[in-house]
């Protein structure tokens, strides 16, 4: 335990002196995760399962997309397919278009990624009646 501060008088001046603790602090150890790493296929399957939940609500959809977009990756088309189908189940066109905008933004300077994703999602977009941001004219600032 720490001893309380002791006041001493030195040459008529009162000063506050702190005593050293009577124990030595242990060194801090770093803990690293040695658990199993998730493969790309397991990651994709986990997110597809998340968006395929039949009782997913709008909050869960937004939370999932925010988490997914927060990763340092562009989601695979099969994950986006499941997310867009969740938007359709919720009758939420705005979220579906926002997902496509987020993917375009996430692709960043890699201009070949977004057209590839749209190409892969084209059958789903047509089936669900979801227009792309380009078709809506909202891709221009």
């Amino acid at each position: 335990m720490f001893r309380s501060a002791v006041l001493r008088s030195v040459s008529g001046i009162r000063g506050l002196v702190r005593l050293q603790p009577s124990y030595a602090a242990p060194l801090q150890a770093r803990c690293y995760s040695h658990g199993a790493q998730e493969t790309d296929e397991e990651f994709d399957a986990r997110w597809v399962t998340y968006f395929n939940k039949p009782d997913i609500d709008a909050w869960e959809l937004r939370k999932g997309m925010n988490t997914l977009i927060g990763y340092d990756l562009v989601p695979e088309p099969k994950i986006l397919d499941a997310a867009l189908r969740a938007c359709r189940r919720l009758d939420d066109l705005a979220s579906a278009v926002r997902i496509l905008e987020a993917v375009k933004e996430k692709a960043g300077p890699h201009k070949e990624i977004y057209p590839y994703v749209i190409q892969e999602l084209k059958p789903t977009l047509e089936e669900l009646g979801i227009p792309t941001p380009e078709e809506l004219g909202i891709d221009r600032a």
Side-chain angles (χ1 to χ4, degrees):
M1 284 181 32
F2 287 101
R3 295 189 184 191
S4 61
V6 177
L7 293 175
R8 275 195 210 170
S9 176
V10 179
S11 306
I13 301 174
R14 296 177 55 97
L16 185 63
V17 178
R18 294 189 186 265
L19 299 177
Q20 295 295 323
S22 60
Y23 66 91
L27 292 177
Q28 196 172 33
R30 292 186 178 167
C31 297
Y32 294 102
S33 173
H34 296 291
Q37 293 292 325
E38 186 177 47
T39 65
D40 291 342
E41 292 77 23
E42 292 169 336
F43 177 85
D44 294 349
R46 179 168 54 96
W47 282 104
V48 167
T49 302
Y50 178 87
F51 289 118
N52 281 338
K53 291 191 306 189
D55 60 339
I56 193 168
D57 63 14
W59 185 88
E60 289 176 311
L61 174 69
R62 287 190 308 274
K63 171 73 169 111
M65 280 311 301
N66 282 332
T67 302
L68 189 58
I69 294 298
Y71 293 137
D72 188 23
L73 54 83
V74 176
E76 287 289 326
K78 61 185 168 185
I79 298 172
L80 297 171
D81 180 271
L84 292 172
R85 290 182 186 279
C87 290
R88 174 41 97 192
R89 287 193 306 275
L90 295 169
D91 198 24
D92 190 353
L93 177 63
S95 291
V97 174
R98 181 65 187 121
I99 287 170
L100 297 175
E101 289 177 320
V103 169
K104 185 173 186 176
E105 185 69 28
K106 193 69 179 169
H110 306 286
K111 300 297 182 200
E112 68 280 357
I113 293 175
Y114 181 70
Y116 166 76
V117 170
I118 292 298
Q119 171 193 322
E120 293 295 310
L121 291 175
K122 200 64 169 166
T124 302
L125 295 173
E126 289 173 359
E127 175 189 340
L128 301 177
I130 299 172
T132 64
E134 294 77 21
E135 292 170 347
L136 292 172
I138 58 174
D139 62 323
R140 292 172 236 118

